[in-house]
Amino acid sequence: MHLFDGAAEERGSGSELLAPASVAWRLTAERGVPFEERWSSFLDRVCTEEVVALVIGAWWQEWDEHGIDSCLDLLTAEAHRLPRPRALFLADVESEESEISWIRQGAVSRVLRAWPGLYELGLRGAEDLVIEPLRHESLRSECGGLPPEPVRAPAACDFPALHHLELWLGTSRYGGDCTAEDVRALLAALVRSPGLRHLGLCNSDIQDEIAAGVAAAPVVAGLDSLDLSMGTLGDEGATALLSGQSLTPLRAFDLGHHYMSDAMTQRVREALGPHIPDLGLTPAPRSSCRPEERYVAVGE
């Protein structure tokens, strides 16, 4: 499925509108064109009954201190006109528009209630993110850079059809204050999602502790792929992974941007490499393995 930029089409750079179900529709505010106007034009010009994927970019023209809730008001108010969405991404915003740690989310649980058939929910940014306890039959993914509350929230939810879960946990310098205990509670709760096949716990500055939790988590036995990339994984976390449950049934395991020593990297390669072809063992740019000098891949 291709991404279709509604803003580009309105400026005349597109040719004719494509079949609504053949693309993911991206809507974003621009200078002089508020999001409300873009949304209204989309509803008027597109056969929204056939739309299956939406990507929401910047919803502000000047910085919106109230976050995404005003945008969600527009979306959910017209949910009856979009009966088929299967994928929704909120805040497809690049660093030129806003750093990831500045993006203000909101009460996103209501989009799950508005579209009970949603398979995929993607989020960028996590300040003010609220996920209320709920049961959702079809949700398959969610992601973001997270403070403690959104990490704890999925543990209180029931996602029986969850297939893919990826969380960018971030750094405490930018609000990523979740603890290893929060992550362990999440790992324990994921046994209620027997269809989970991919788990990503990425971009964390407590990656050694997360690795230790993963090494003992029963949910890992049912996974096809595991992602612990972009964080501060060092020898301590790698040792926990190698001494915990078997990881060789995994088809993919991403350890990119790590701080393991050369000797430990070789141990991991020898233990897992024959079973998992791509371990993503690209080290972090900085050569030092001292914990106080480690940094996550995405920090702002």
Side-chain angles (χ1 to χ4, degrees):
M1 179 174 290
H2 299 289
L3 183 68
F4 189 77
D5 190 336
E9 190 278 332
E10 287 189 9
R11 291 193 298 269
S13 59
S15 53
E16 59 184 36
L17 289 177
L18 301 174
S22 68
V23 295
W25 294 86
R26 185 180 188 274
L27 304 174
T28 185
E30 290 187 324
R31 188 177 299 277
V33 185
F35 185 85
E36 292 85 349
E37 183 175 328
R38 188 77 72 204
W39 177 246
S40 178
S41 177
F42 168 71
L43 293 176
D44 290 342
R45 301 183 65 188
V46 177
C47 182
T48 55
E49 290 82 2
E50 299 179 17
V51 170
V52 296
L54 279 176
V55 178
I56 304 301
W59 57 88
W60 64 86
Q61 290 185 289
E62 301 297 332
W63 182 245
D64 182 359
E65 65 179 8
H66 301 296
I68 202 172
D69 281 323
S70 60
C71 175
L72 299 184
D73 288 341
L74 294 173
L75 269 61
T76 56
E78 302 294 343
H80 62 286
R81 297 181 61 178
L82 293 105
R84 296 181 56 198
R86 294 295 180 263
L88 173 64
F89 191 95
L90 300 175
D92 180 32
V93 177
E94 299 182 350
S95 58
E96 292 78 8
E97 299 170 294
S98 172
E99 297 294 352
I100 192 171
S101 62
W102 299 349
I103 299 171
R104 301 177 71 94
Q105 285 286 343
V108 302
S109 300
R110 53 186 167 145
V111 303
L112 301 179
R113 294 190 173 96
W115 289 295
L118 201 65
Y119 278 13
E120 182 172 353
L121 174 63
L123 312 170
R124 180 169 295 145
E127 186 175 355
D128 297 334
L129 176 62
V130 177
I131 300 176
E132 301 168 1
L134 51 79
R135 178 183 175 89
H136 198 280
E137 295 290 346
S138 302
L139 179 66
R140 292 198 176 188
S141 71
E142 56 182 291
C143 60
L146 301 172
E149 291 76 16
V151 178
R152 297 167 186 158
C157 296
D158 193 4
F159 296 146
L162 190 67
H163 180 80
H164 179 117
L165 177 66
E166 181 173 315
L167 305 178
W168 291 18
L169 299 166
T171 172
S172 57
R173 294 195 304 163
Y174 292 97
D177 296 325
C178 73
T179 66
E181 183 178 351
D182 296 326
V183 175
R184 285 194 295 269
L186 173 63
L187 289 169
L190 288 176
V191 297
R192 300 199 302 270
S193 299
L196 188 67
R197 294 296 175 263
H198 173 84
L199 175 63
L201 297 171
C202 311
N203 200 57
S204 175
D205 56 7
I206 58 168
Q207 204 74 346
D208 281 345
E209 295 173 82
I210 290 173
V214 165
V219 67
V220 173
L223 298 178
D224 292 331
S225 58
L226 178 63
D227 189 347
L228 299 181
S229 67
M230 300 189 290
T232 60
L233 182 71
D235 286 6
E236 181 181 345
T239 299
L241 290 171
L242 293 180
S243 58
Q245 64 185 300
S246 174
L247 299 174
T248 56
L250 290 170
R251 298 177 184 175
F253 188 13
D254 193 345
L255 295 171
H257 189 279
H258 66 79
Y259 286 87
M260 294 183 289
S261 64
D262 290 344
M264 180 56 72
T265 302
Q266 186 60 28
R267 279 187 59 193
V268 170
R269 183 177 289 111
E270 291 174 354
L272 301 179
H275 309 279
I276 308 172
D278 186 5
L279 292 169
L281 285 172
T282 306
R286 192 176 300 183
S287 60
S288 172
C289 291
R290 296 171 59 186
E292 64 272 17
E293 295 182 1
R294 300 176 190 173
Y295 61 94
V296 298
V298 181
E300 296 187 359

